[in-house]
Amino acid sequence: MIRLANVSHDYGGRGLLSGVDLHIAPGAFHFLTGPSGAGKSTLLKLCYGELRPRSGRIELFGQNLAALSRDALADTRRRIGVIHQDCQFLDHLTLAENVALPFIATGRPVPEADLHELLSWVGLEHAADALPPTLSGGERQRAALARAVIMSPEVVLADEPTGNVDWEMSQRLLTLLVELNRMGTAVMIATHDLTLIRNAKALVSARILRIADQTLQSAGSDL
Amino acid sequence: MSFVEILRVRFDDAGKVVPSSGYTTVLTTLTAGAMAFLAVFALALSLSSGQLAQRWSDTLSQSATLRLSAAPSEIGAQTAAVLEILRTTPGVVSTRVLDIDEQRALLEPWFGPDLPVENLALPRLIEIIETPEGFDAAGLRLRLSTEAPGAVLDDHTRWRRPLVAAAASLRGLAWVSVVLIAGAMAAMITLAAGFSLAANVQVIRVLRLVGARDAFIARAFVRRFTLRALIGAAGGTVLGVAAFALLPVAGESGFLTGLGFQGAGWFLPLVIPPLAGLIAWAATRTAAFRVLRRES
Ligand SMILES: Nc1ncnc2c1ncn2[C@@H]1O[C@H](COP(=O)(O)OP(=O)(O)OP(=O)(O)O)[C@@H](O)[C@H]1O
Ligand SMILES: [Mg+2]
């Protein structure tokens, strides 16, 4: 579904990623690790087309990213649920509206029942009408996860989805992602949290990737 | 999204996703109001100067009067000579010698009905009907002075010709003002929309990330500015028309007669608010799509 071939990227300074090959197939479950600043967030941004690579080829659902029209890219993004490291909410909208934003922004009616079920799943039904800046970091991350999955995307890309939540909640979020994966959604989670990865191994057969020396390596099971 | 769609005021989600930045929207409303107010005046000026030109050119009446004074023994011969000159003067359609009764009628307001016109050495009056282009008055005077020295050409309505031309160019100026007002409004709304778009790059980014197309993002801005321009222009138009309704324009006579709106003319300013909305729609749309193309 998402395929990177020989992709290199940098932000104008020193090289960050070089010669990266990656394939996220339907139903796959990937973890992405690496030290802070290694380029995990950058790699995810390349995967949903927020960044264009310096070189190499990126295919989203069989279409060359470089050749996608602006509207086609917008439509493609609806098939990818993203949990951003910094959440990316609209601070003047309520939490519920932020979670429903993928529907609102594509002019579709918001499925109220699904929205409330999802909010209670991530333990936020009490905060539906709160504005994002009044919520804790963990609450925002849970909401970000809810927004990423509300459109039943084919792929979920999660950037540190459990960075700010307690152990119990992180298990719960992981379970939700594993649930989705069992129903066919491909998942890629960028994280430092090795415990999360270890716990996941009991639930799902995940592939662990690691960014080191600007390249993407398979970390195997030595965690 | 069409302009008409915006007129169906629906405060739906597209409008809500962009935070209302009170400052730019208030400025847009005020600008549209001020521009509409000025447009009402320009429109009134255009209508009135058009009517003025019409009125003045009507009273030009394309006629002149020739007064012929001569000794009673010569008057017949001189009249014949003058009529012959007029017959061969380009721009003269017809001539007519006024008879005694007509002359009496002309003098009656001044001297009363009992004036013994027959006994007075009154000048002969000859009415000249001109073509719309008129005749060469200076040339005619020259010929008359040699062949009929007692003839005086009175073309008193001619002084109005330049006034008619002035009224016509005033009308042109009024239309230029309308165009300038529309242009200034387009420019200001483009700036306001550009400012609003720049202030909301983060909002635009988030909307993009969740799969919004350019058209949806643009709509949020376009709707807001179009509605604001409509509301502001409606207010400005009402104020402008009210100002004219209350204006103590010189009554039935006088130079300024008819400055303002008359009859159906009062409805003409109704076109200003939709026009302002249309300008805002086009200006915001252009600004939005330009920014969205750049910020990709
Ligand atoms: N927009 C940008 N402009 C310039 N440099 C950037 C930009 N975004 C990221 N970087 C740099 O690129 C490097 C990789 O950033 P990235 O966010 O991908 O790292 P990361 O692996 O996600 O780190 P973390 O685990 O801390 O989230 C960092 O050194 C960062 O400073
Ligand atoms: Mg990161």
Side-chain angles (χ1 to χ4, degrees):
Chain A
M1 279 187 293
I2 296 178
R3 197 185 283 274
L4 277 65
N6 199 21
V7 164
S8 300
H9 194 71
D10 62 72
Y11 289 103
R14 70 197 166 82
L16 194 58
L17 299 170
S18 83
V20 169
D21 293 308
L22 171 67
H23 181 213
I24 303 177
F29 203 113
H30 293 287
F31 279 103
L32 181 64
T33 64
S36 177
K40 299 182 295 295
S41 297
T42 304
L43 185 59
L44 291 186
K45 285 174 185 171
L46 289 166
C47 287
Y48 60 83
E50 188 184 353
L51 287 177
R52 305 279 171 147
R54 286 266 171 222
S55 67
R57 181 185 166 91
I58 297 180
E59 262 180 32
L60 303 178
F61 305 100
Q63 293 167 292
N64 182 3
L65 174 66
L68 277 185
S69 72
R70 304 160 56 71
D71 280 350
L73 177 60
D75 296 349
T76 300
R77 283 197 179 142
R78 299 174 188 181
R79 303 168 71 180
I80 306 173
V82 183
I83 302 165
H84 304 272
Q85 195 165 11
D86 44 4
C87 293
Q88 303 286 1
F89 289 136
L90 295 182
D91 288 346
H92 65 287
L93 297 183
T94 66
L95 191 80
E97 286 167 334
N98 268 291
V99 170
L101 202 57
F103 282 97
I104 297 171
T106 51
R108 278 181 253 189
V110 177
E112 298 289 339
D114 293 359
L115 176 62
H116 285 106
E117 193 189 341
L118 200 53
L119 283 177
S120 60
W121 225 103
V122 294
L124 283 175
E125 64 274 65
H126 65 281
D129 295 327
L131 295 179
T134 68
L135 296 170
S136 76
E139 286 169 325
R140 283 209 293 275
Q141 269 184 338
R142 279 137 66 193
L145 187 139
R147 185 176 78 182
V149 302
I150 195 168
M151 291 276 267
S152 312
E154 293 162 60
V155 192
V156 170
L157 304 175
D159 199 351
E160 303 284 359
T162 58
N164 289 309
V165 298
D166 57 53
W167 188 82
E168 199 179 327
M169 183 51 76
S170 78
Q171 289 310 297
R172 200 162 162 173
L173 298 184
L174 178 67
T175 314
L176 177 59
L177 289 172
V178 169
E179 249 350 285
L180 282 171
N181 181 250
R182 290 212 176 114
M183 295 188 305
T185 310
V187 174
M188 178 146 95
I189 304 173
T191 184
H192 294 126
D193 187 350
L194 298 185
T195 350
L196 185 76
I197 299 177
R198 280 191 210 105
N199 288 331
K201 280 163 115 182
L203 301 168
V204 66
S205 77
R207 200 168 155 224
I208 298 153
L209 303 166
R210 187 182 167 79
I211 300 177
D213 305 327
Q214 301 181 18
T215 58
L216 193 62
Q217 298 158 4
S218 205
S221 50
D222 55 334
L223 282 160
Chain B
M1 172 194 44
S2 73
F3 176 60
V4 178
E5 236 177 285
I6 290 179
L7 292 178
R8 290 190 288 123
V9 184
R10 277 188 312 133
F11 289 100
D12 68 356
D13 299 319
K16 206 169 63 177
V17 292
V18 178
S20 63
S21 48
Y23 188 59
T24 39
T25 43
V26 166
L27 272 184
T28 305
T29 314
L30 286 180
T31 301
M35 290 299 166
F37 190 80
L38 293 176
V40 171
F41 277 83
L43 215 55
L45 186 61
S46 151
L47 282 183
S48 311
S49 50
Q51 280 158 2
L52 215 55
Q54 186 64 48
R55 203 146 45 86
W56 281 341
S57 65
D58 283 350
T59 56
L60 277 178
S61 73
Q62 282 149 19
S63 75
T65 313
L66 195 146
R67 201 153 26 93
L68 183 62
S69 318
S73 56
E74 286 174 31
I75 193 99
Q78 287 224 9
T79 304
V82 166
L83 288 177
E84 180 55 23
I85 291 169
L86 289 175
R87 202 178 59 75
T88 57
T89 303
V92 172
V93 174
S94 68
T95 56
R96 192 171 65 85
V97 181
L98 271 64
D99 61 31
I100 285 289
D101 288 337
E102 283 174 291
Q103 292 209 359
R104 193 201 309 277
L106 283 174
L107 291 173
E108 203 182 283
W110 280 276
F111 301 105
D114 302 326
L115 190 71
V117 176
E118 298 79 0
N119 305 335
L120 292 172
L122 280 181
R124 270 290 149 79
L125 294 180
I126 300 169
E127 189 189 41
I128 305 168
I129 305 296
E130 306 169 48
T131 59
E133 296 76 40
F135 53 77
D136 170 16
L140 182 58
R141 283 210 179 86
L142 202 65
R143 279 182 75 190
L144 289 170
S145 68
T146 56
E147 296 178 40
V152 177
L153 181 64
D154 180 3
D155 57 348
H156 58 273
T157 57
R158 271 171 189 260
W159 64 272
R160 289 189 162 166
R161 284 225 160 117
L163 280 189
V164 172
S169 33
L170 199 59
R171 187 177 197 198
L173 276 180
W175 280 115
V176 169
S177 307
V178 170
V179 171
L180 286 179
I181 288 167
M185 197 173 101
M188 282 197 243
I189 289 178
T190 302
L191 286 177
F195 180 82
S196 179
L197 286 156
N200 284 300
V201 278
Q202 180 57 18
V203 171
I204 293 173
R205 188 166 164 257
V206 172
L207 289 175
R208 282 244 170 85
L209 290 177
V210 297
R213 288 184 169 202
D214 283 0
F216 176 88
I217 301 170
R219 186 181 337 170
F221 290 92
V222 168
R223 177 173 305 219
R224 173 162 305 164
F225 282 94
T226 304
L227 286 177
R228 289 295 155 167
L230 268 176
I231 293 167
T237 304
V238 166
L239 287 181
V241 171
F244 269 105
L246 301 175
L247 200 66
V249 181
E252 282 306 303
S253 60
F255 186 71
L256 286 178
T257 304
L259 182 58
F261 298 102
Q262 268 139 24
W266 283 102
F267 292 99
L268 199 61
L270 284 181
V271 305
I272 293 174
L275 215 58
L278 200 64
I279 289 171
W281 174 77
T284 315
R285 214 176 128 84
T286 312
F289 278 107
R290 200 182 48 228
V291 169
L292 289 172
R293 259 193 302 276
R294 201 179 50 211
E295 306 265 337
S296 55

